[in-house]
Amino acid sequence: MAQLFEQSKKVIEVHLANTSIRAISGSMVAYEGAVQFKSAGFGGGDGVLAGMKRRATGEKLSLMECGGQGRVFLAVNGQYVSVVNLNNETLQVESQQLLAFAGNLRTDVRFAGVRGASSGQGLFTTTVSGQGQVALLSAGGPLIHLEVSPQFPLVVDPDAFVAARGNLNQSFVTDVSWRSVMGHDGGEAFSLRWDGQGVVSIQPAER
């Protein structure tokens, strides 16, 4: 299986040994060795149905496949990078925060509800399921991983949300009076609430 490493705070290093990964189109900044690049096709390599769902929902995920023998370096607009290991788990992630994934993983689109009246951000999110590694992007700094437990539910600004995994239930908080205090009078109509057991990852900057 190909391996993903955090080469620096803003660059992912991929090790290929006659293996392949999928990554956001245009994210390759350098490579060495016998590496081939091609479009992952309609649906990002997950089939025509996945492509139709993405087009219908507006959850955009344009992927390329990198395969062969060598090293590939990935980055997007100076954003910070993090690698998450999945062991037969499902990761829910905003598609624009997904950089690359390696292993026996499959992507899909999940309806997440109406998050925002002003931007419509996050009506649908991407899920990555199976066993392997996922490289994520974050703006403003490295990802912040917050534990959620039954005793301590978590409320998150939808523009700061990046990913979530575990036995979690998502709901919406309509009391957004805190946004006006923080200067977000024209912002989202909802906040995200997470209950259960798991981890929610946020970025220290809004989209």
Side-chain angles (χ1 to χ4, degrees):
M1 185 175 72
Q3 296 291 314
L4 306 180
F5 300 93
E6 296 174 18
Q7 199 270 348
S8 72
K9 292 180 179 180
K10 299 182 179 182
V11 177
I12 290 292
E13 181 177 334
V14 183
H15 290 187
L16 298 174
N18 294 318
T19 50
S20 65
I21 66 157
R22 282 180 284 173
I24 294 298
S25 298
S27 59
M28 187 276 293
V29 293
Y31 77 93
E32 60 182 26
V35 181
Q36 295 80 42
F37 301 89
K38 65 179 181 180
S39 170
F42 189 52
D46 283 320
V48 173
L49 180 60
M52 293 177 65
K53 289 175 67 175
R54 292 193 184 284
R55 181 165 294 180
T57 61
E59 183 74 354
K60 299 175 182 178
L61 189 63
S62 177
L63 298 172
M64 64 180 179
E65 183 177 321
C66 313
Q69 181 92 27
R71 296 193 301 168
V72 180
F73 300 88
L74 306 173
V76 175
N77 296 329
Q79 295 187 70
Y80 289 79
V81 297
S82 301
V83 174
V84 174
N85 296 306
L86 296 182
N87 185 17
N88 294 317
E89 301 169 275
T90 296
L91 181 74
Q92 180 177 327
V93 58
E94 292 289 348
S95 64
Q96 65 223 64
Q97 311 302 136
L98 180 61
L99 174 56
F101 47 97
N104 186 21
L105 296 171
R106 181 171 181 82
T107 66
D108 203 347
V109 178
R110 174 182 296 172
F111 179 67
V114 180
R115 292 189 185 174
S118 63
S119 69
Q121 176 65 42
L123 292 172
F124 298 85
T125 57
T126 294
T127 60
V128 184
S129 303
Q131 186 162 7
Q133 294 178 294
V134 183
L136 301 175
L137 295 165
S138 61
L143 279 179
I144 301 167
H145 304 290
L146 302 174
E147 295 281 346
V148 181
S149 67
Q151 298 81 14
F152 297 101
L154 181 69
V155 177
V156 173
D157 184 328
D159 280 334
F161 170 75
V162 173
R165 60 174 170 160
N167 187 21
L168 293 170
N169 295 314
Q170 177 189 301
S171 59
F172 302 95
V173 178
T174 57
D175 179 8
V176 291
S177 58
W178 63 271
R179 294 191 68 87
S180 60
V181 175
M182 298 299 291
H184 295 289
D185 295 329
E188 300 301 323
F190 300 95
S191 295
L192 301 179
R193 176 181 168 123
W194 300 88
D195 293 270
Q197 192 82 44
V199 176
V200 173
S201 302
I202 64 173
Q203 62 182 4
E206 292 189 334
R207 279 183 288 275

